[in-house]
Amino acid sequence: MTSLDFIVMSIFAIIILSIGMIFTKMGSKDGQSFFEGGGKIPWWINGLSLFVSYFSAGTFVVWGSIAYKYGLVSNGIQLTMVFAGLVSSLFLVSRWKRTGSHTVAEYIRLRFGTKTQQFYTYLIMLHGLFMTASVLYPVGKMVQLATPFSLETCIIIIGVIIILYTAAGGLWAVLVTDVVQFIVLAAAVLIVIPIAFENIGGVSNFIDKSPPHFFDFFNDEYSIVFAGAFFIYQTAYIGGNWAYVQRYTSVRNEMESRKVGYLFSILYLVSPFIWMIPPMIYRVINPNLVGLESEGAYMLLCQKVLPSGLIGLILSGMVSATASKANTTINLVATVFAKDVYKSIFHTKATESQLILVARIFTILFGALTIYIAILVPRVGGIVELVLSVASIAGGALFIPIIWTLFPNRQTSFSLVFTSSISLLINLTLKIFAVDLIGFKLPRIAETSLGVGIPILCICLFEAYYLIKNIPVKDELLTFAHLNPIDESSNSGDNSQNVFGIRVIAIAMAIVGFGIAILGFMASMNMPSIVVGISIIILSLPTWIASKSV
């Protein structure tokens, strides 16, 4: 990297931190502003935030590594997220909005009591710890490849920036930075693809020189059976992850909550085919990466083909994606800790200003711990192993039982806690001690299938048992609709937050677009950069106009 690349990254970091500081006053107004963004956020902002927070630099490291090794297998896996998003949009997200609850923790408390809520809250916080660490590590790895800094230093710097603006501005800071980060990331990828194809001699040359089966969607390790199990996991994750549920419940009504999910699905239908092209191209350029070296394929391609300044833009895009996923999780766990742990257990009469202070302090502490765990990722076998292992062990166990209760059911507190506990115990035991117990390590297909299969089996067995015991079916959402009526009317407070948020997005878009266009002129008239930059400036105009019609 050159000094220009460092300048680009520094300017981007300043922009993101500034956005967080801008929303500090708004987020400090009251609890609803900090934790829920006013509760009536425009659906397209939540949809973009959900999309960009669903992946991270891990997308380019984890799936990029798979794309480098196996080609379109990476896309085959990611397409499961499209169908999972559609299923969630059709059957789940509106039911979350119908509960009238602001968080999943609140829903569990009202439905199953405080003890069950605490059980899941602590597990979700632990799960969030490892998932956040899993997104800090890959971006640190990519920055390390392009800078003279150590991996640990890169992780710490990036982590501190994310923690600061998340603690300052609350949910609105998270949402607006998510949208801006989506723009930077999309711009970076759209710039690198035509340059990479030009470097390799065009699309036809890329196809001719690709290895055999490089354009197959499945292989022995990532088969169609794995994809099916992964689809079930992704449905549970998109429809039940506490951070994403916050995106469905903080809009005006059920229709808008479904629009959030639909936008996510549409974007994920297109994006993997764009995101994964660069590491696939690098496989043709350099087929000699082995082991964990393939995790750096994306960044290695960028270093090879991009001029000075644009490498800094690419890294800013990777930091953007990581920040979006990390800040979403950190904001969620801080919200849950303040409202559902601190207030419920330690200080039942805490004021809103006290809860906001507690959430900010917890954001800093939680973020520091995720930075530490991220530094330890290489010791567990690399990022691919960590991400897929956490998914197979915890994803189904934590999300499937709760999602089940959104529909007419016979479940009780005991059945939920037992299902989650036994699922976690079995999957964790097999992950750690499989060789000692059964003589071999479980293949990825078996891990993922057991991860979703065990909780589904347990829940079904409990339904059958309670049917035999003549326990009646309950549809608690009818009760929630009565106890927690949703006020869908607008008010000036909420509207002013939406107007302000959209205008900040428009101004940030114009600044980012101008900066990218300038980089294009500085990089020997790099036309992809100039075109992308001008396009972003143009799009900032209707975004500003949209604020007037909120």
Side-chain angles (χ1 to χ4, degrees):
M1 285 179 64
T2 66
S3 58
L4 181 58
D5 293 305
F6 285 108
I7 291 172
V8 170
M9 293 189 68
S10 299
I11 292 174
F12 173 76
I14 292 171
I15 291 173
I16 294 301
L17 277 174
S18 299
I19 291 174
M21 298 304 114
I22 286 171
F23 285 97
T24 300
K25 183 177 180 180
M26 180 185 291
S28 301
K29 253 192 343 182
D30 53 57
Q32 190 182 45
S33 296
F34 187 87
F35 297 119
E36 304 165 45
K40 296 179 181 178
I41 296 166
W43 65 268
W44 60 270
I45 293 180
N46 268 355
L48 286 176
S49 175
L50 174 63
F51 171 69
V52 75
S53 63
Y54 199 74
F55 58 86
S56 66
T59 297
F60 305 95
V61 175
V62 177
W63 306 125
S65 174
I66 296 173
Y68 174 85
K69 293 177 182 178
Y70 308 121
L72 284 184
V73 166
S74 176
N75 297 83
I77 298 171
Q78 292 181 82
L79 282 175
T80 63
M81 302 167 193
V82 177
F83 299 108
L86 286 174
V87 170
S88 297
S89 302
L90 290 170
F91 302 108
L92 298 178
V93 301
S94 61
R95 299 186 76 84
W96 279 119
K97 182 64 177 175
R98 200 176 306 164
T99 67
S101 301
H102 301 128
T103 65
V104 180
E106 181 184 356
Y107 165 75
I108 295 173
R109 177 177 59 80
L110 293 172
R111 172 72 170 81
F112 296 103
T114 302
K115 291 184 178 179
T116 305
Q117 176 204 44
Q118 298 303 320
F119 170 81
Y120 279 103
T121 295
Y122 296 135
L123 286 179
I124 286 294
M125 290 169 64
L126 184 62
H127 177 265
L129 192 65
F130 284 96
M131 292 307 294
T132 306
S134 74
V135 300
L136 281 180
Y137 166 80
V139 76
K141 175 100 176 190
M142 300 192 85
V143 175
Q144 177 208 13
L145 289 171
T147 68
F149 304 124
S150 68
L151 176 62
E152 292 80 7
T153 300
C154 295
I155 290 173
I156 291 171
I157 292 174
I158 295 165
V160 168
I161 292 173
I162 295 170
I163 292 166
L164 286 177
Y165 77 74
T166 303
L171 183 58
W172 260 113
V174 171
L175 292 171
V176 173
T177 53
D178 280 354
V179 175
V180 175
Q181 287 157 347
F182 164 75
I183 293 164
V184 173
L185 177 64
V189 176
L190 290 175
I191 289 170
V192 74
I193 288 175
I195 299 174
F197 272 126
E198 181 181 358
N199 182 271
I200 202 176
V203 176
S204 60
N205 201 37
F206 163 65
I207 295 173
D208 293 340
K209 293 185 177 180
S210 295
H213 305 292
F214 206 54
F215 299 102
D216 294 346
F217 277 102
F218 305 103
N219 62 13
D220 291 339
E221 182 176 2
Y222 300 101
S223 68
I224 193 169
V225 176
F226 170 84
F230 202 63
F231 158 74
I232 298 174
Y233 161 73
Q234 291 295 336
T235 302
Y237 194 67
I238 295 170
N241 183 292
W242 291 22
Y244 303 150
V245 170
Q246 191 180 34
R247 299 294 180 268
Y248 312 137
T249 60
S250 59
V251 294
R252 294 180 185 276
N253 51 49
E254 292 182 29
M255 176 58 72
E256 292 203 354
S257 68
R258 285 193 291 270
K259 288 181 180 179
V260 171
Y262 292 144
L263 180 57
F264 168 88
S265 300
I266 292 170
L267 291 172
Y268 238 109
L269 178 63
V270 178
S271 62
F273 291 96
I274 300 173
W275 300 155
M276 295 299 105
I277 289 174
M280 291 173 66
I281 291 176
Y282 194 70
R283 173 64 185 272
V284 175
I285 295 174
N286 177 15
N288 300 317
L289 299 184
V290 295
L292 297 183
E293 291 178 349
S294 62
E295 292 181 351
Y298 216 108
M299 197 64 236
L300 291 170
L301 173 77
C302 294
Q303 288 178 306
K304 180 175 177 61
V305 304
L306 291 180
S308 177
L310 293 183
I311 293 177
L313 178 65
I314 289 291
L315 281 176
S316 295
M318 303 306 166
V319 172
S320 297
T322 295
S324 297
K325 191 174 184 73
N327 65 26
T328 294
T329 304
I330 292 173
N331 176 260
L332 180 278
V333 296
T335 298
V336 169
F337 179 81
K339 298 182 71 173
D340 302 304
V341 176
Y342 178 78
K343 186 172 184 178
S344 297
I345 298 176
F346 301 108
H347 193 351
T348 56
K349 297 183 179 180
T351 64
E352 288 191 342
S353 60
Q354 289 173 328
L355 291 179
I356 292 171
L357 177 61
V358 168
R360 285 174 169 157
I361 294 172
F362 186 78
T363 295
I364 295 172
L365 296 176
F366 184 86
L369 192 53
T370 61
I371 290 172
Y372 175 73
I373 294 176
I375 293 172
L376 300 179
V377 166
R379 299 187 185 183
V380 300
I383 189 64
V384 175
E385 184 65 26
L386 176 65
V387 169
L388 294 182
S389 294
V390 171
S392 62
I393 293 170
L398 294 181
F399 303 131
I400 288 175
I402 303 302
I403 288 175
W404 191 282
T405 67
L406 293 175
F407 300 90
N409 67 94
R410 296 179 171 86
Q411 300 301 313
T412 64
S413 298
F414 174 79
S415 66
L416 293 188
V417 172
F418 179 87
T419 295
S420 295
S421 299
I422 198 67
S423 300
L424 287 169
L425 179 62
I426 293 174
N427 288 317
L428 186 61
T429 300
L430 289 175
K431 182 64 183 179
I432 299 174
F433 303 110
V435 176
D436 296 328
L437 295 174
I438 59 179
F440 60 90
K441 179 182 177 180
L442 289 177
R444 190 79 67 195
I445 296 173
E447 282 187 353
T448 307
S449 298
L450 287 173
V452 297
I454 293 174
I456 290 175
L457 176 62
C458 286
I459 285 291
C460 289
L461 290 175
F462 272 112
E463 285 287 344
Y465 173 75
Y466 291 144
L467 173 63
I468 295 172
K469 289 289 187 178
N470 291 321
I471 293 179
V473 172
K474 296 165 288 187
D475 188 353
E476 295 291 340
L477 293 193
L478 297 176
T479 303
F480 276 109
H482 173 69
L483 294 177
N484 298 326
I486 301 171
D487 179 14
E488 297 185 358
S489 62
S490 61
N491 61 65
S492 58
D494 292 334
N495 192 59
S496 65
Q497 291 187 40
N498 292 343
V499 170
F500 183 73
I502 294 173
R503 288 182 175 177
V504 171
I505 291 172
I507 293 170
M509 286 176 65
I511 294 173
V512 169
F514 180 76
I516 292 173
I518 291 297
L519 279 178
F521 283 109
M522 294 175 66
S524 302
M525 293 297 290
N526 184 275
M527 288 308 298
S529 302
I530 295 172
V531 171
V532 169
I534 293 175
S535 299
I536 294 173
I537 294 174
I538 294 172
L539 287 173
S540 69
L541 297 176
T543 304
W544 178 274
I545 294 172
S547 69
K548 299 179 180 180
S549 60
V550 172

